[in-house]
Amino acid sequence: MSLLAAMSSSMDDRPDLVRVGDRSLSRSRLQGLAAAVADDLHGLDRVAVEATPTLETVVGVVGALRAGTAVVPVPPDAGPREREHILRDSAAQALLAAAGGTSDGSTGTGASAASGGLPVVPVDLRRVSGSTHPEPAPDRTALILYTSGTTGAPKGALLSRAAIATCLDGLADAWAWTPDDLLVHGLPLFHVHGLVLGVLGPLRVGSRLHHVGRPQPDRYAAAGGTLCFGVPTIWSRIGAVPAAARALRSARLLVSGSAALPTAVFDGLAALTGHRVVERYGMTETLITVSARADGPRRPGAVGVPLPGVRTRIVDEQGHDLPTDGSAMGELLVDGPTLFDGYLNRPDADAASRTADGWFRTGDVATVGPDGWHRIVGRASTDLIKSGGYRIGAGEVEEALLAHPGVREAAVVGLPHPDLGQQVTAYVVGDGVTGPELVDFVARQLSVHKRPREVRLVDALPRNALGKVQKKRLVDG
């Protein structure tokens, strides 16, 4: 079966199969435009793509996949060093960009610098082709997605066509995703969430897609989607605009991912929209592995059960299995058909990311209940705090802080302490609150040893493009 099965076989030719901003394409038009790009890429093994939130990005990615060329998305806001690393490390042979120059519209010397010296293949929405291209083998690399680089230079994760197809089929089953849906989101197109789920998903399932550009509450409200994707930052902003949130009552499913959704946001959206948000869990290297289901319960702070074919386990620091009792915290290991094929040019990183028996080490700390429901505590490096002999999950303390009416945002980390080993430290964005007040507030809700030893009031928390708090920046000072 074709990776983009519905685009290849559907007879539906509505004029707005894919809409980005105020421009749209029908299925047949997208096929013709993608075929022209595929013609240009014939014989190329891998190509970089300017991953702007535009129709040109969608056409470029689809064209490359039809040609069997691996796609290397380049974040449009990448700095010169990150951009140069991605282009060089991936060994991309060309750069796909909107016709007329690079993503910022530059030409000449500037365009040459932006392309890293690579030939630029223009994506021209006026040029179509009737060519057909054979479906590449399932084990062929479809995407090379670069990780965030929190532990060094970004690494390229090799994702096969089969892994992507399996992931999308599992989500279609879990979320009852059908051609009748209209998917609405405003996510970046260089990550799993926005590109794999948010673009390739509709083209495999057959649903329509409306990318709203900037993910503003009024744009989500006006789009009339049945299926809406967002990250916690987006959902928090939508919940802060009651009229926009109430407009989503007509949707079928609201889905959140890429970071934990605060319970207060979950509850607020449930009250305004009538929907309990579906949360799911995944990584660049694993795609989506765990999710709540459309036909099952949704629990705040929990991400559901494994998708078909996926196996999970939690282990302690010695690699011993921990009980699935809902309270034991350990590193989450994953195995199954959605896993990546390794890091490009990094056999050392590959070896470090796998156990001796082949399980992928996520680096995330989780609990698993007797019913198989997973709760992600956070990153082992920053969210499992060892203080005075206790193991404390940062997420639990953050939830307690966010329950205070004066707290808008909170991030909890463990900072070095000469006596305790690590000190529970909270960074808080709030209104009219004091550190001692918040320490006492948490101590009244949780065990006393879980209270922050220090609260630092800040104007904002450092976040990446998907809204995840960059805790390493807080730990490193």
PDB file of all heavy atoms in Angstrom, residues 246-271:
ATOM      1  N   ARG A 246     -15.405  27.779  23.098  1.00  0.00           N
ATOM      2  CA  ARG A 246     -16.772  27.270  22.920  1.00  0.00           C
ATOM      3  C   ARG A 246     -17.063  26.933  21.463  1.00  0.00           C
ATOM      4  O   ARG A 246     -17.876  26.049  21.169  1.00  0.00           O
ATOM      5  CB  ARG A 246     -17.773  28.299  23.437  1.00  0.00           C
ATOM      6  CG  ARG A 246     -17.746  28.477  24.949  1.00  0.00           C
ATOM      7  CD  ARG A 246     -18.901  29.341  25.430  1.00  0.00           C
ATOM      8  NE  ARG A 246     -18.764  29.638  26.851  1.00  0.00           N
ATOM      9  CZ  ARG A 246     -18.287  30.779  27.342  1.00  0.00           C
ATOM     10  NH1 ARG A 246     -17.934  31.754  26.495  1.00  0.00           N
ATOM     11  NH2 ARG A 246     -18.189  30.958  28.638  1.00  0.00           N
ATOM     12  N   ALA A 247     -16.377  27.611  20.539  1.00  0.00           N
ATOM     13  CA  ALA A 247     -16.579  27.323  19.115  1.00  0.00           C
ATOM     14  C   ALA A 247     -16.112  25.920  18.752  1.00  0.00           C
ATOM     15  O   ALA A 247     -16.503  25.385  17.706  1.00  0.00           O
ATOM     16  CB  ALA A 247     -15.850  28.356  18.262  1.00  0.00           C
ATOM     17  N   LEU A 248     -15.280  25.309  19.599  1.00  0.00           N
ATOM     18  CA  LEU A 248     -14.775  23.960  19.327  1.00  0.00           C
ATOM     19  C   LEU A 248     -15.718  22.871  19.820  1.00  0.00           C
ATOM     20  O   LEU A 248     -15.412  21.679  19.698  1.00  0.00           O
ATOM     21  CB  LEU A 248     -13.394  23.778  19.965  1.00  0.00           C
ATOM     22  CG  LEU A 248     -12.299  24.752  19.486  1.00  0.00           C
ATOM     23  CD1 LEU A 248     -10.976  24.412  20.151  1.00  0.00           C
ATOM     24  CD2 LEU A 248     -12.164  24.726  17.975  1.00  0.00           C
ATOM     25  N   ARG A 249     -16.867  23.254  20.357  1.00  0.00           N
ATOM     26  CA  ARG A 249     -17.847  22.245  20.787  1.00  0.00           C
ATOM     27  C   ARG A 249     -18.299  21.366  19.623  1.00  0.00           C
ATOM     28  O   ARG A 249     -18.666  20.203  19.813  1.00  0.00           O
ATOM     29  CB  ARG A 249     -19.065  22.926  21.422  1.00  0.00           C
ATOM     30  CG  ARG A 249     -18.836  23.385  22.854  1.00  0.00           C
ATOM     31  CD  ARG A 249     -20.090  23.964  23.482  1.00  0.00           C
ATOM     32  NE  ARG A 249     -19.896  24.168  24.922  1.00  0.00           N
ATOM     33  CZ  ARG A 249     -20.140  23.262  25.858  1.00  0.00           C
ATOM     34  NH1 ARG A 249     -20.620  22.079  25.500  1.00  0.00           N
ATOM     35  NH2 ARG A 249     -19.928  23.533  27.132  1.00  0.00           N
ATOM     36  N   SER A 250     -18.292  21.914  18.408  1.00  0.00           N
ATOM     37  CA  SER A 250     -18.738  21.151  17.244  1.00  0.00           C
ATOM     38  C   SER A 250     -17.694  20.147  16.761  1.00  0.00           C
ATOM     39  O   SER A 250     -17.968  19.343  15.872  1.00  0.00           O
ATOM     40  CB  SER A 250     -19.098  22.100  16.100  1.00  0.00           C
ATOM     41  OG  SER A 250     -17.965  22.868  15.715  1.00  0.00           O
ATOM     42  N   ALA A 251     -16.479  20.211  17.312  1.00  0.00           N
ATOM     43  CA  ALA A 251     -15.431  19.264  16.916  1.00  0.00           C
ATOM     44  C   ALA A 251     -15.746  17.873  17.461  1.00  0.00           C
ATOM     45  O   ALA A 251     -16.576  17.710  18.355  1.00  0.00           O
ATOM     46  CB  ALA A 251     -14.075  19.735  17.420  1.00  0.00           C
ATOM     47  N   ARG A 252     -15.065  16.882  16.914  1.00  0.00           N
ATOM     48  CA  ARG A 252     -15.234  15.505  17.374  1.00  0.00           C
ATOM     49  C   ARG A 252     -14.173  15.131  18.398  1.00  0.00           C
ATOM     50  O   ARG A 252     -14.445  14.413  19.357  1.00  0.00           O
ATOM     51  CB  ARG A 252     -15.153  14.559  16.164  1.00  0.00           C
ATOM     52  CG  ARG A 252     -15.438  13.106  16.475  1.00  0.00           C
ATOM     53  CD  ARG A 252     -15.380  12.255  15.222  1.00  0.00           C
ATOM     54  NE  ARG A 252     -14.063  12.246  14.602  1.00  0.00           N
ATOM     55  CZ  ARG A 252     -13.025  11.527  15.038  1.00  0.00           C
ATOM     56  NH1 ARG A 252     -13.151  10.765  16.107  1.00  0.00           N
ATOM     57  NH2 ARG A 252     -11.865  11.578  14.416  1.00  0.00           N
ATOM     58  N   LEU A 253     -12.945  15.633  18.209  1.00  0.00           N
ATOM     59  CA  LEU A 253     -11.835  15.222  19.061  1.00  0.00           C
ATOM     60  C   LEU A 253     -10.801  16.341  19.130  1.00  0.00           C
ATOM     61  O   LEU A 253     -10.425  16.917  18.099  1.00  0.00           O
ATOM     62  CB  LEU A 253     -11.186  13.961  18.472  1.00  0.00           C
ATOM     63  CG  LEU A 253     -10.576  12.931  19.418  1.00  0.00           C
ATOM     64  CD1 LEU A 253     -11.624  12.344  20.338  1.00  0.00           C
ATOM     65  CD2 LEU A 253      -9.884  11.836  18.622  1.00  0.00           C
ATOM     66  N   LEU A 254     -10.341  16.643  20.342  1.00  0.00           N
ATOM     67  CA  LEU A 254      -9.221  17.561  20.560  1.00  0.00           C
ATOM     68  C   LEU A 254      -8.043  16.735  21.046  1.00  0.00           C
ATOM     69  O   LEU A 254      -8.181  15.945  21.979  1.00  0.00           O
ATOM     70  CB  LEU A 254      -9.576  18.628  21.599  1.00  0.00           C
ATOM     71  CG  LEU A 254     -10.890  19.391  21.422  1.00  0.00           C
ATOM     72  CD1 LEU A 254     -11.041  20.450  22.519  1.00  0.00           C
ATOM     73  CD2 LEU A 254     -10.977  20.028  20.043  1.00  0.00           C
ATOM     74  N   VAL A 255      -6.885  16.915  20.408  1.00  0.00           N
ATOM     75  CA  VAL A 255      -5.710  16.098  20.718  1.00  0.00           C
ATOM     76  C   VAL A 255      -4.562  17.001  21.137  1.00  0.00           C
ATOM     77  O   VAL A 255      -4.281  18.006  20.487  1.00  0.00           O
ATOM     78  CB  VAL A 255      -5.286  15.258  19.496  1.00  0.00           C
ATOM     79  CG1 VAL A 255      -4.045  14.430  19.822  1.00  0.00           C
ATOM     80  CG2 VAL A 255      -6.423  14.346  19.048  1.00  0.00           C
ATOM     81  N   SER A 256      -3.889  16.626  22.225  1.00  0.00           N
ATOM     82  CA  SER A 256      -2.734  17.386  22.701  1.00  0.00           C
ATOM     83  C   SER A 256      -1.523  16.476  22.800  1.00  0.00           C
ATOM     84  O   SER A 256      -1.641  15.302  23.163  1.00  0.00           O
ATOM     85  CB  SER A 256      -3.031  18.002  24.076  1.00  0.00           C
ATOM     86  OG  SER A 256      -1.940  18.800  24.516  1.00  0.00           O
ATOM     87  N   GLY A 257      -0.359  17.032  22.491  1.00  0.00           N
ATOM     88  CA  GLY A 257       0.870  16.255  22.589  1.00  0.00           C
ATOM     89  C   GLY A 257       2.083  17.148  22.630  1.00  0.00           C
ATOM     90  O   GLY A 257       1.972  18.370  22.716  1.00  0.00           O
ATOM     91  N   SER A 258       3.258  16.524  22.579  1.00  0.00           N
ATOM     92  CA  SER A 258       4.580  17.157  22.582  1.00  0.00           C
ATOM     93  C   SER A 258       5.028  17.586  23.973  1.00  0.00           C
ATOM     94  O   SER A 258       6.205  17.837  24.181  1.00  0.00           O
ATOM     95  CB  SER A 258       4.648  18.350  21.620  1.00  0.00           C
ATOM     96  OG  SER A 258       4.392  17.930  20.296  1.00  0.00           O
ATOM     97  N   ALA A 259       4.118  17.708  24.928  1.00  0.00           N
ATOM     98  CA  ALA A 259       4.443  18.004  26.323  1.00  0.00           C
ATOM     99  C   ALA A 259       3.202  17.685  27.147  1.00  0.00           C
ATOM    100  O   ALA A 259       2.106  17.516  26.597  1.00  0.00           O
ATOM    101  CB  ALA A 259       4.861  19.463  26.497  1.00  0.00           C
ATOM    102  N   ALA A 260       3.367  17.612  28.458  1.00  0.00           N
ATOM    103  CA  ALA A 260       2.236  17.293  29.331  1.00  0.00           C
ATOM    104  C   ALA A 260       1.241  18.451  29.360  1.00  0.00           C
ATOM    105  O   ALA A 260       1.625  19.617  29.450  1.00  0.00           O
ATOM    106  CB  ALA A 260       2.734  16.997  30.735  1.00  0.00           C
ATOM    107  N   LEU A 261      -0.038  18.132  29.283  1.00  0.00           N
ATOM    108  CA  LEU A 261      -1.095  19.139  29.372  1.00  0.00           C
ATOM    109  C   LEU A 261      -1.459  19.329  30.845  1.00  0.00           C
ATOM    110  O   LEU A 261      -1.887  18.384  31.506  1.00  0.00           O
ATOM    111  CB  LEU A 261      -2.322  18.682  28.583  1.00  0.00           C
ATOM    112  CG  LEU A 261      -3.483  19.681  28.496  1.00  0.00           C
ATOM    113  CD1 LEU A 261      -3.104  20.864  27.617  1.00  0.00           C
ATOM    114  CD2 LEU A 261      -4.737  18.999  27.946  1.00  0.00           C
ATOM    115  N   PRO A 262      -1.303  20.552  31.379  1.00  0.00           N
ATOM    116  CA  PRO A 262      -1.651  20.766  32.788  1.00  0.00           C
ATOM    117  C   PRO A 262      -3.103  20.402  33.073  1.00  0.00           C
ATOM    118  O   PRO A 262      -3.992  20.642  32.248  1.00  0.00           O
ATOM    119  CB  PRO A 262      -1.400  22.271  32.985  1.00  0.00           C
ATOM    120  CG  PRO A 262      -0.394  22.629  31.935  1.00  0.00           C
ATOM    121  CD  PRO A 262      -0.736  21.760  30.761  1.00  0.00           C
ATOM    122  N   THR A 263      -3.345  19.837  34.244  1.00  0.00           N
ATOM    123  CA  THR A 263      -4.704  19.439  34.613  1.00  0.00           C
ATOM    124  C   THR A 263      -5.670  20.615  34.579  1.00  0.00           C
ATOM    125  O   THR A 263      -6.830  20.467  34.163  1.00  0.00           O
ATOM    126  CB  THR A 263      -4.695  18.810  36.021  1.00  0.00           C
ATOM    127  OG1 THR A 263      -3.870  17.634  35.991  1.00  0.00           O
ATOM    128  CG2 THR A 263      -6.091  18.430  36.466  1.00  0.00           C
ATOM    129  N   ALA A 264      -5.197  21.788  34.990  1.00  0.00           N
ATOM    130  CA  ALA A 264      -6.070  22.966  34.987  1.00  0.00           C
ATOM    131  C   ALA A 264      -6.528  23.304  33.574  1.00  0.00           C
ATOM    132  O   ALA A 264      -7.680  23.715  33.355  1.00  0.00           O
ATOM    133  CB  ALA A 264      -5.357  24.156  35.607  1.00  0.00           C
ATOM    134  N   VAL A 265      -5.648  23.133  32.586  1.00  0.00           N
ATOM    135  CA  VAL A 265      -6.018  23.407  31.190  1.00  0.00           C
ATOM    136  C   VAL A 265      -6.989  22.333  30.705  1.00  0.00           C
ATOM    137  O   VAL A 265      -7.978  22.628  30.031  1.00  0.00           O
ATOM    138  CB  VAL A 265      -4.763  23.468  30.294  1.00  0.00           C
ATOM    139  CG1 VAL A 265      -5.147  23.674  28.827  1.00  0.00           C
ATOM    140  CG2 VAL A 265      -3.849  24.606  30.750  1.00  0.00           C
ATOM    141  N   PHE A 266      -6.714  21.072  31.037  1.00  0.00           N
ATOM    142  CA  PHE A 266      -7.604  19.961  30.679  1.00  0.00           C
ATOM    143  C   PHE A 266      -9.016  20.226  31.203  1.00  0.00           C
ATOM    144  O   PHE A 266     -10.007  20.126  30.468  1.00  0.00           O
ATOM    145  CB  PHE A 266      -7.036  18.667  31.267  1.00  0.00           C
ATOM    146  CG  PHE A 266      -7.822  17.415  30.964  1.00  0.00           C
ATOM    147  CD1 PHE A 266      -7.420  16.559  29.962  1.00  0.00           C
ATOM    148  CD2 PHE A 266      -8.957  17.086  31.700  1.00  0.00           C
ATOM    149  CE1 PHE A 266      -8.129  15.399  29.683  1.00  0.00           C
ATOM    150  CE2 PHE A 266      -9.678  15.939  31.437  1.00  0.00           C
ATOM    151  CZ  PHE A 266      -9.258  15.091  30.420  1.00  0.00           C
ATOM    152  N   ASP A 267      -9.104  20.577  32.480  1.00  0.00           N
ATOM    153  CA  ASP A 267     -10.413  20.800  33.090  1.00  0.00           C
ATOM    154  C   ASP A 267     -11.105  22.030  32.508  1.00  0.00           C
ATOM    155  O   ASP A 267     -12.324  22.027  32.286  1.00  0.00           O
ATOM    156  CB  ASP A 267     -10.260  20.958  34.598  1.00  0.00           C
ATOM    157  CG  ASP A 267      -9.856  19.659  35.291  1.00  0.00           C
ATOM    158  OD1 ASP A 267     -10.050  18.580  34.688  1.00  0.00           O
ATOM    159  OD2 ASP A 267      -9.346  19.718  36.427  1.00  0.00           O
ATOM    160  N   GLY A 268     -10.324  23.087  32.263  1.00  0.00           N
ATOM    161  CA  GLY A 268     -10.908  24.301  31.699  1.00  0.00           C
ATOM    162  C   GLY A 268     -11.473  24.082  30.313  1.00  0.00           C
ATOM    163  O   GLY A 268     -12.575  24.567  29.991  1.00  0.00           O
ATOM    164  N   LEU A 269     -10.759  23.333  29.504  1.00  0.00           N
ATOM    165  CA  LEU A 269     -11.250  23.036  28.153  1.00  0.00           C
ATOM    166  C   LEU A 269     -12.483  22.142  28.200  1.00  0.00           C
ATOM    167  O   LEU A 269     -13.414  22.310  27.405  1.00  0.00           O
ATOM    168  CB  LEU A 269     -10.150  22.369  27.327  1.00  0.00           C
ATOM    169  CG  LEU A 269      -9.021  23.284  26.847  1.00  0.00           C
ATOM    170  CD1 LEU A 269      -7.885  22.460  26.268  1.00  0.00           C
ATOM    171  CD2 LEU A 269      -9.530  24.271  25.797  1.00  0.00           C
ATOM    172  N   ALA A 270     -12.493  21.196  29.126  1.00  0.00           N
ATOM    173  CA  ALA A 270     -13.661  20.311  29.248  1.00  0.00           C
ATOM    174  C   ALA A 270     -14.909  21.131  29.564  1.00  0.00           C
ATOM    175  O   ALA A 270     -15.995  20.879  29.014  1.00  0.00           O
ATOM    176  CB  ALA A 270     -13.418  19.261  30.327  1.00  0.00           C
ATOM    177  N   ALA A 271     -14.757  22.128  30.432  1.00  0.00           N
ATOM    178  CA  ALA A 271     -15.903  22.959  30.802  1.00  0.00           C
ATOM    179  C   ALA A 271     -16.373  23.831  29.647  1.00  0.00           C
ATOM    180  O   ALA A 271     -17.576  24.033  29.449  1.00  0.00           O
ATOM    181  CB  ALA A 271     -15.542  23.823  32.008  1.00  0.00           C
TER     182      ALA A 271
END
